[in-house]
């Protein structure tokens, strides 16, 4: 579709002025008006184009745009005629009056014009000459002959045609399929020119998908079927292979054909087999000649389109059932499928009755009734349909019809006749590429026009991006897209995707498809709601799925089941930067919400894992994302608990309605917002409107009468109150009983309703024009107001008065894990006891010990520490930890030759067999600690467990770390030995595979885990070099048979990403070796979420006698 420049053209023009070459004399059969102008138009850069001779007058072309449209049909430019200029390109023609009679002009589809020799172009070409530029294919033949004549040498040629997928370097979304044959592979340089035309950018080098350079045709022939085309920049690693083979060759659905590979999968992904049964309806003409494909979606990803192939002409016929076996990667829990066809053949229309799936891995069976036509001339014109999984006959996700509003820009020639397709992406997958066929307008995609389309799909949740583009076909196919707005009828939200750019191979950056993130709405929402996230504000987070508030308990547990009066559901805001905050417990200020390994818990607020980034959604709900690990968010399952690994993607809830405490305190000044930019305001005539601006006339002062009862006085006009009286609602009240309102809080929306106390059941409502009126509650939103505090009634929100500070000071005594060890609690809190706690039992009256209370004694050796200590306790039925042992006055703990006692409460974890101790937050002035022994004594039974040691926790001493594991010692012997694991980390041999980022490893075995260990060497900064093997040692209580490892890379920038090939763990004690293949980049992206860690499973256990090189 691109213009191919001529291989040779002259820029030497006659000495005459640039427009002096007139047309040869020609007699016309009709009488021309005197004002007519005889003009000849030539094609930019093409000296062999003979020119178009036209008569231009005001009758035939009323506007300059009409002339451009006419020329677009006659001058063979791929994107239509967009520019007309004088022959040398010095002056651009912009209106009909600028054209001169008898002159010649150059037509171009872009601003830059390529000059031609008009003397040569004006001569009529001979029969063997062509009226188009020399193609890349002919140019390749010419170059090949030149190479033969000049050097007597020819490169290796391809004798058998070979299909190859070409990716753009660093952009897996731009890919083209080419067929290598004799004509386009005459030379390697000619092939690069051909690819440059095809990819629409200069191709100078080719690489394999794993980063090896392809230097010549011989190496290209040996490639696996996909290459990466680059300019002069270095190779950019990406996930080329899986995207290239599992998806169509162009933007999904835009091309006429897609090329799936049903069985293609990464070697590191576990394959799943499915039986697919497709029933074609028994109605006339139900069968199809098209190729049918299916896509499976699960909470771990999608299968990509899989074509259901078989004997041609016998599949998908009327009344038939066709059965296939397909392979997919591990997609997790299935929640929807998409089935469709390519609309090819003589009779492409298809009536699908039902689709049935059988997982050959788990035995699960799924049935998807369809009962619909998939045809462009039937029903909605769709050739694919999405079907959700049914549970007890009901879909687990709703099927919705999105309204897609596509606005074409108001520039000349901005419209397009090409086929436009869109793919919508949300939290729960995507719609696949859908062609936008049926607009509510008679003609689609015209200049300045907004077209509305319907896209049916299984509900995607929150939308975050779209991919939109066209197929580049048709005259003048370039398109200027202004914006796309998608309306979600389920959530009643509008998502805006701004573009304001060309989708044109001859304009802008040459792209005809663009990925657009959701824009504007979040910024507007943040501007309106950011007042809630200021320092000192006290919040509650309400979960609409569980109908409960997030609660953080003293033992670090978190759930979403609390009621609005639960004291553990209050959080104080501490702002770190912009939208990054720490939400500390109002009851226990040292404890805060944290995200650790993707799971929400409670941690000391000083830790980095407590920094959460607030993302406000268009519905004003908040998503809390880890600032340290983007993509990890606070989420709960349907039962309000923290989800485990088995929880399906579609069964998570991570949006929360934010409620601020202290909004309606006496003396507070507030706004009663009706939208993101409007509020209830008092007009000069005393009437009220919900369409006022959020300025002083919309400020109301709160007068609290009793609990939940308030009056609202205008700040701008004192002594004028909001009232309901005599079927009128206005701001002319005097402060009597007609001005008293009961505050009804709507937990689901974060709004309030104002019910008149004098007229029960009557609320302040809004008419469609914004005017206030007394109304009854019919369930509509016209009685909802969204309060915003301009000034709090007290110095700070509820819970921070002087009296409460005293209560809080007394409550400091009851700080539980994971917090610092403190004095014993005078009395038990009213909530159920936590699973574990710690105290330093010095003074005070202690309650009788329970079955789970232990005394912990730690003896320090010759060197003490001021650091906090983290403790994990392992039993044969689970573990407890981390328990933080520390104190505000750290000078009194862990002194040399001092024994410190603590009291801990441990859940039922069975028989204890080991502990792990780690220095937490070590100051620079105390770089080491000498630990002599640890003793655990059960307070009720007096059973004692000994952990003798004499070890250093230090990085200054050889082979030492900040962490150590100790087994229980009985009769002078440990019940399990200390094992030394040799860890060999293989970095891949790809470009930019190396990293200097921190890499962590956790080894899991039959007897617990080693904990997350930083891979380092004493005194030496670790850099994982490309193609090299790094050796580390991990000392831990013997884990038994190893089951998996967890690998984490904390890369802050893309340049620090790391490609790990594999990890080998050897245990010297029994000469065993475990191989864990990785073969991927860390961090990596899945389902739009960045993951910095991955779990690897062994490829087999090998027993061998290997030599220890150390």
């Amino acid at each position: 579709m691109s213009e191919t420049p001529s291989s040779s053209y002259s820029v030497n023009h006659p000495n005459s002025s640039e427009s002096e070459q007139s047309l040869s004399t020609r007699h016309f059969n009709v009488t021309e008006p005197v004002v007519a102008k005889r003009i000849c138009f030539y094609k930019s850069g093409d000296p062999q184009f003979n020119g178009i001779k036209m008569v231009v007058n005001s009758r035939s072309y009323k506007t300059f745009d009409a002339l451009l449209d006419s020329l677009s049909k006659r001058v063979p430019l791929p994107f239509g005629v967009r520019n007309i200029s004088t022959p040398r390109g010095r002056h651009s023609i912009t209106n009909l009056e600028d054209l001169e009679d008898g002159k010649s002009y150059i037509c171009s589809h872009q601003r830059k014009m390529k000059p031609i020799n008009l003397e040569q172009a004006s001569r009529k070409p001979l029969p063997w000459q062509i009226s188009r530029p020399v193609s890349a294919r002919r140019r390749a033949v010419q170059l090949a002959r030149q190479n033969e004549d000049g050097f007597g040498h020819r490169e290796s040629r391809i004798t058998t045609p070979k299909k190859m997928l070409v990716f753009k370097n660093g952009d897996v979304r731009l890919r083209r399929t080419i067929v290598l044959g004799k004509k386009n592979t005459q030379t390697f340089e000619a092939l690069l020119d051909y690819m440059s035309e095809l990819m629409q950018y200069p191709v100078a080098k080719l690489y394999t998908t794993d980063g090896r350079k392809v230097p010549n045709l011989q190496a290209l022939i040996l490639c696996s079927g996909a290459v990466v085309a680059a300019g002069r920049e270095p190779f950019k690693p990406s996930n080329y292979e899986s995207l290239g083979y599992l998806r169509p060759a162009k933007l999904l659905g835009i091309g006429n054909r897609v090329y799936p590979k049903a069985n293609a999968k990464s070697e590191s992904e576990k394959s799943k087999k499915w039986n697919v049964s497709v029933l074609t309806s028994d109605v006339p003409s139900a069968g199809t000649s098209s190729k049918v494909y299916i896509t499976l979606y699960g909470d771990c990803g999608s299968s990509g389109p899989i074509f259901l192939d078989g004997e041609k002409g016998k599949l998908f016929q009327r009344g038939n059932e066709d059965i296939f076996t397909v392979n997919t990667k591990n997609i997790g829990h299935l929640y929807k499928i998409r089935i469709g066809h390519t609309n090819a053949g003589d009779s492409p229309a298809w009536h699908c009755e039902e689709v049935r799936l059988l997982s050959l891995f788990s035995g699960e069976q799924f049935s998807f009734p369809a009962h619909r036509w998939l045809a462009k001339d039937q029903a909605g014109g769709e050739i694919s349909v999405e079907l959700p999984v049914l549970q007890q006959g009901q879909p687990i996700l709703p099927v919705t019809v999105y309204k897609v509003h596509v606005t074409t820009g108001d520039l000349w020639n901005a419209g397009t006749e090409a086929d436009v397709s869109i793919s919508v992406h949300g939290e729960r997958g995507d719609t696949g590429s859908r062609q936008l066929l049926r607009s509510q307008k008679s003609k689609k995609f015209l200049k300045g026009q907004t077209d509305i389309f319907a896209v049916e799909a299984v509900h995607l949740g929150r939308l975050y991006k779209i991919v939109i583009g066209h197929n580049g076909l048709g005259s003048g196919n370039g398109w200027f897209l202004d914006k796309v707005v998608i309306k979600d009828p389920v959530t009643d939200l509008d998502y805006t995707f701004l573009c304001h750019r060309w989708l044109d191979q001859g304009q802008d950056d040459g792209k005809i498809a663009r990925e657009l993130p959701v824009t504007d709405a979040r910024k507007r929402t943040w501007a309106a709601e950011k007042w809630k996230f200021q320092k000192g504000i006290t919040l509650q987070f309400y979960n609409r799925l569980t109908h409960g508030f997030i609660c953080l308990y003293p033992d670090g547990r978190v759930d979403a089941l609390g009621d609005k009066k639960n004291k553990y559901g209050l959080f104080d805001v501490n702002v770190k930067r912009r939208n990054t905050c720490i939400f500390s417990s109002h009851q226990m200020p040292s404890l805060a919400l944290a995200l650790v390994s993707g799971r929400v818990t409670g941690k000391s607020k000083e830790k980095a894992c407590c920094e959460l980034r607030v993302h406000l959604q268009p519905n004003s709900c908040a998503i809390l994302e880890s600032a340290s690990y983007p993509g990890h968010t606070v989420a709960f399952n349907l039962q309000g608990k923290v989800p485990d690994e088995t929880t399906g993607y579609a069964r998570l809830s991570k949006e929360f309605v934010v409620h601020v405490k202290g909004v309606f305190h006496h003396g507070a000044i507030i706004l009663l917002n009706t939208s993101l930019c409007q509020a209830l305001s008092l007009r000069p005539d005393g009437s009220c409107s919900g369409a006022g601006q959020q300025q002083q006339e919309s400020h109301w002062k709160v007068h609290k009468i009793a609990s939940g009862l308030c009056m609202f006085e205008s700040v701008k006009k004192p002594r004028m109150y909001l009232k309901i009286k005599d079927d009128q609602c206005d701001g002319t009240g005097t402060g009597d009983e007609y001005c008293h309102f009961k505050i009804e809080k709507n937990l689901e929306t974060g709004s309030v309703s104002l019910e008149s106390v004098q007229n029960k059941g009557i609320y302040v409502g809004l008419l469609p024009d914004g005017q206030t009126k007394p109304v009854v509650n019919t369930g509509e939103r016209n009685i909802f107001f969204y309060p915003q505090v301009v000034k709090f009634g007290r110095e700070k929100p509820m819970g921070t008065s002087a009296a409460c500070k005293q209560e809080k000071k007394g409550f400091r005594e009851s700080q539980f894990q994971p917090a610092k060890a403190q004095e014993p609690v005078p009395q038990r809190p009213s909530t159920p006891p936590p699973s574990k706690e710690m105290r330093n039992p010095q003074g005070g009256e202690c309650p009788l010990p329970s079955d789970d209370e232990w005394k912990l004694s730690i003896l320090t050796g010759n060197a003490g520490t001021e650091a906090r200590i983290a403790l994990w306790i392992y039993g044969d039925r689970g573990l407890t930890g981390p328990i933080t042992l520390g104190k505000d006055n750290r000078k009194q703990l862990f002194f040399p030759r001092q024994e410190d006692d603590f009291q801990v409460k441990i859940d039922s974890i069975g028989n204890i067999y080991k502990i792990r101790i780690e220095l937490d937050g070590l100051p620079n002035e105390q770089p080491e600690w000498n630990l002599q022994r640890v003793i655990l004594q059960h307070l009720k039974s007096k059973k004692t467990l000994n952990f003798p040691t004499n070890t250093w926790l230090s990085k200054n001493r050889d082979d030492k770390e900040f962490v150590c594991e100790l087994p229980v010692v009985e009769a002078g012997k440990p019940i399990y030995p200390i094992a030394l694991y040799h860890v060999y980390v293989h970095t891949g041999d790809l470009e930019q595979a190396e990293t200097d980022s921190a890499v962590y490893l956790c080894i899991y075995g039959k007897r617990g885990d080693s904990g997350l260990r930083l891979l380092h060497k004493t005194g030496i900064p670790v850099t994982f070099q490309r193609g090299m093997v790094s050796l580390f040692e991990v000392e831990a209580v013997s884990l038994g048979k190893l089951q998996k490892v967890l690998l984490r890379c904390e890369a802050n920038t893309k340049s620090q990403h790391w490609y790990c090939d594999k990890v080998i763990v050897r245990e010297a004690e029994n000469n065993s070796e475990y191989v864990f293949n990785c073969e991927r980049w860390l961090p990596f992206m899945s389902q739009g979420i960045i993951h910095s860690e991955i779990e690897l499973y062994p490829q087999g256990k090998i027993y061998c006698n290997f030599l220890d090189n150390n």
Side-chain angles (χ1 to χ4, degrees), residues 2 7 176 255 399 437 577 710 772 786-787 842 873 993 1050 1084:
S2 63
S7 58
R176 297 289 184 267
V399 176
L437 287 171
R577 54 195 171 275
C710 298
T772 54
Y786 300 86
Q842 300 171 1
I873 303 173
E1050 295 186 345
F1084 63 95

Side-chain angles (χ1 to χ4, degrees), residues 734-933:
T734 58
D736 56 11
E737 63 273 12
Y738 294 101
C739 302
H740 295 183
F741 293 93
K742 179 182 177 182
I743 311 298
E744 287 190 5
K745 297 182 179 180
N746 189 321
L747 300 181
E748 301 290 326
T749 62
S751 62
V752 297
S753 300
L754 306 180
E755 182 187 10
S756 172
V757 174
Q758 191 70 12
N759 304 280
K760 290 186 178 181
I762 303 299
Y763 294 80
V764 177
L766 298 175
L767 296 176
D769 61 357
Q771 187 70 30
T772 54
K773 181 176 178 62
V775 298
V776 296
N777 186 358
T778 61
E780 298 182 8
R781 297 189 175 189
N782 63 332
I783 64 170
F784 288 174
F785 297 92
Y786 300 86
Q788 175 181 339
V789 178
V790 178
K791 180 182 178 182
F792 280 96
R794 301 182 183 181
E795 183 179 355
K796 291 186 179 180
M798 178 184 291
T800 57
S801 65
C804 293
K805 282 184 180 178
Q806 294 173 0
E807 294 175 8
K808 189 185 297 183
K809 183 176 180 181
F811 190 79
R812 285 182 58 194
E813 300 176 347
S814 64
Q815 292 190 11
F816 302 105
Q817 191 278 335
K820 307 161 189 173
Q822 299 293 346
E823 298 294 327
V825 189
Q827 58 184 3
R828 296 276 182 179
S830 59
T831 57
S835 62
K836 46 187 174 289
E837 62 183 3
M838 73 209 70
R839 295 191 287 271
N840 193 357
Q842 300 171 1
E845 182 179 349
C846 293
L848 293 176
S850 67
D851 290 337
D852 293 331
E853 290 186 341
W854 293 72
K855 177 184 177 183
L856 171 68
S857 300
I858 297 179
L859 177 61
T860 300
N862 294 326
T865 183
E866 296 181 11
R868 292 189 300 273
I869 307 300
L871 171 70
W872 287 261
I873 303 173
Y874 284 77
D876 55 14
R877 288 189 297 177
L879 69 93
T880 294
I883 302 173
T884 303
L885 308 174
K887 197 172 181 181
D888 286 337
N889 185 9
R890 296 193 183 122
K891 298 288 185 183
Q892 300 178 6
L893 290 177
F894 312 120
F895 263 37
R897 292 172 295 280
Q898 173 178 300
E899 187 168 19
D900 297 286
D901 295 335
F902 304 88
Q903 185 174 317
V904 297
K905 189 170 183 181
I906 306 172
D907 287 330
S908 299
I909 61 174
N911 296 320
I912 297 172
Y913 63 86
K914 78 168 182 178
I915 63 172
R916 182 167 61 252
I917 289 185
E918 180 179 352
L919 290 184
D920 183 19
L922 187 70
N924 293 330
E925 64 271 20
Q926 290 290 341
E928 57 188 15
W929 180 40
N930 181 215
L931 175 63
Q932 285 290 314
R933 73 162 183 263

